[in-house]
Amino acid sequence: MTYAVAPGGPAGPGAYVLGVDSGGSGLRVALGRAGDPGPLATTVCAEPVRTGPGGIDAGHLLDQLLPAARELLERASATASAEIRRDARPSGSRADDGSAHEVAAVAIGAAGMATLGERLRAELPGALADALGVRRVALAADAVTAYAGAVGQRPGAVVAGGTGMIALGTDLKEWHRADGWGHLLGDSGGGAWIGRAGLDAAMRAHDGRRGGSAALLDRLRAVFGPAEALPGLLYPRSDRPAVLASFAPEVAACAGADPVAAGILRQAAGHIAEAAAAVCPAPAEPDGEDGGTGEVALTGGLFRMGEPLIAPLREELARLLPGARMTTATGDPLTGALRIARALAAGDLRLPHHPTMLFVPREQETGQRGETAVHSEPRPERQGEGQAGESAE
């Protein structure tokens, strides 16, 4: 199959768009149409994209992405052709309009894009143009695709919690980010932080020190074996953050009956709320041009803990961001990548461009304000807020 090059103006509603999510568990690819919500089809490449001394390996990403994209496009084309034959649609209808086989835009979100994405930014736009004929490409940090999946193109903030924790917000003029510094320097309130705090409380109970939890010590022994053997199991592991985070659900399970476990989750909620307060734009006036709502969306596996974490988080957000709405993400980072691709195809990408967070080659820009900054320093405290915590992933 050959693919048409996207024209300079907005793509037709039947044009194809691709969203890509590259993370530690592999590469996910979604194919959609510019004028329709949701994906037509998705596929998964189980091998994570390699990272080396030069950053994320662009060649390895392409080796997985291009066959997956071609497979999805072939399948979609076959389905569209079958529908045309079945329904006997007249020429010029939506399914066979001139844009039906056009690859209008690709958006790729990748973990590490902001700091390790130099090769991707240098190589992918040209390679995708050569291979798929696509001329509209956006390369985003995974926090940005998480934002787009959770909030869309509205002002607000997203807290992405898993093993780590990062908050990202925008007023559609610039990005603000908080934490995401990794388990040694931050990620406060994330899964590894909660798990480590729970294991610390368990070891305190083992030693007879103040602040220990017999309930968490029981769970440590059930999960890892004898407490005194834990250092030997943990310290040699290269995936220590994930091992620590694996204990976080045990903390949540104990929180209903154990005050130490409940206290750990309250502390975690405080850290998360501080990060959200550091990045959330102030609600706009009802008639403000940005229509801001002070929305804080939660996304990621951390929040599957449910009420043991959500209830204190709701209280902390109400204290630090009075009037803000806490919501659940409407979509994941793959959904966000597809939304960015659709906006790019339509010439309506309102999320702020940035040289590392949301990179769009300058010749593609349509009506954007140019590149923006990502602010990680504390901002002035708003009326009624507590101190906004630290900044930035």
Side-chain angles (χ1 to χ4, degrees):
M1 179 186 290
T2 59
Y3 307 101
V5 175
Y16 291 122
V17 294
L18 284 165
V20 181
D21 176 43
S22 175
S25 59
L27 192 77
R28 299 188 299 155
V29 185
L31 177 71
R33 290 206 185 265
D36 291 337
L40 293 171
T42 62
T43 190
V44 177
C45 308
E47 183 181 0
V49 176
R50 290 191 296 262
T51 299
I56 301 170
D57 189 331
H60 190 224
L61 188 149
L62 286 166
D63 287 345
Q64 296 189 71
L65 170 58
L66 292 178
R70 290 186 177 112
E71 176 193 349
L72 291 174
L73 288 161
E74 294 285 356
R75 282 163 46 190
S77 179
T79 300
S81 297
E83 289 177 351
I84 292 170
R85 291 193 299 270
R86 184 188 68 218
D87 298 342
R89 290 188 175 112
S91 177
S93 68
R94 161 67 181 278
D96 66 345
D97 69 17
S99 65
H101 301 303
E102 169 194 316
V103 183
V106 177
I108 299 174
M113 177 74 78
T115 54
L116 300 170
E118 183 174 353
R119 286 183 60 185
L120 300 188
R121 293 184 286 271
E123 299 176 30
L124 288 189
L128 291 169
D130 291 342
L132 299 178
V134 62
R135 302 293 178 183
R136 296 182 178 97
V137 176
L139 305 176
D142 57 345
V144 171
T145 51
Y147 184 96
V151 180
Q153 296 205 91
R154 303 188 305 275
V158 63
V159 177
T163 297
M165 198 285 299
I166 177 173
L168 189 70
T170 183
D171 54 4
L172 302 187
K173 298 181 178 67
E174 58 189 8
W175 293 104
H176 293 272
R177 54 180 284 186
D179 211 341
W181 293 118
H183 76 292
L184 293 179
L185 297 176
D187 284 351
S188 300
W193 187 96
I194 292 171
R196 186 201 175 281
L199 291 170
D200 176 83
M203 297 305 290
R204 287 176 175 274
H206 174 268
D207 295 346
R209 289 179 288 149
R210 187 177 61 180
S213 165
L216 290 173
L217 178 58
D218 287 343
R219 296 314 305 153
L220 182 159
R221 289 168 174 156
V223 174
F224 295 109
E228 57 271 18
L230 181 60
L233 293 173
L234 181 62
Y235 292 140
R237 298 281 293 262
S238 60
D239 60 344
R240 283 187 297 275
V243 177
L244 293 171
S246 72
F247 197 68
E250 305 293 339
V251 179
C254 292
D258 180 48
V260 173
I264 290 170
L265 294 186
R266 280 195 300 273
Q267 283 184 280
H271 289 308
I272 294 167
E274 286 172 356
V279 303
C280 188
E285 295 298 324
D287 296 329
E289 63 175 16
D290 285 334
T293 62
E295 177 180 2
V296 177
L298 308 180
T299 186
L302 180 70
F303 301 109
R304 287 198 289 268
M305 289 183 185
E307 284 300 297
L309 178 62
I310 298 298
L313 178 55
R314 191 180 295 114
E315 293 174 3
E316 288 297 311
L317 284 172
R319 182 175 67 84
L320 295 178
L321 289 171
R325 295 186 302 114
M326 189 177 80
T327 65
T328 301
T330 58
D332 66 3
L334 184 60
T335 301
L338 204 55
R339 286 176 173 173
I340 290 172
R342 285 198 176 95
L344 199 60
D348 186 35
L349 183 56
R350 300 190 298 277
L351 295 176
H353 295 189
H354 183 267
T356 60
M357 295 290 287
L358 181 55
F359 174 72
V360 179
R362 190 164 291 279
E363 60 270 18
Q364 300 178 35
E365 294 183 1
T366 303
Q368 259 284 349
R369 290 180 283 269
E371 294 177 346
T372 60
V374 177
H375 289 270
S376 59
E377 70 277 7
R379 293 182 293 158
E381 189 175 333
R382 294 196 290 270
Q383 183 67 32
E385 290 183 354
Q387 289 294 330
E390 303 169 341
S391 314
E393 183 191 354

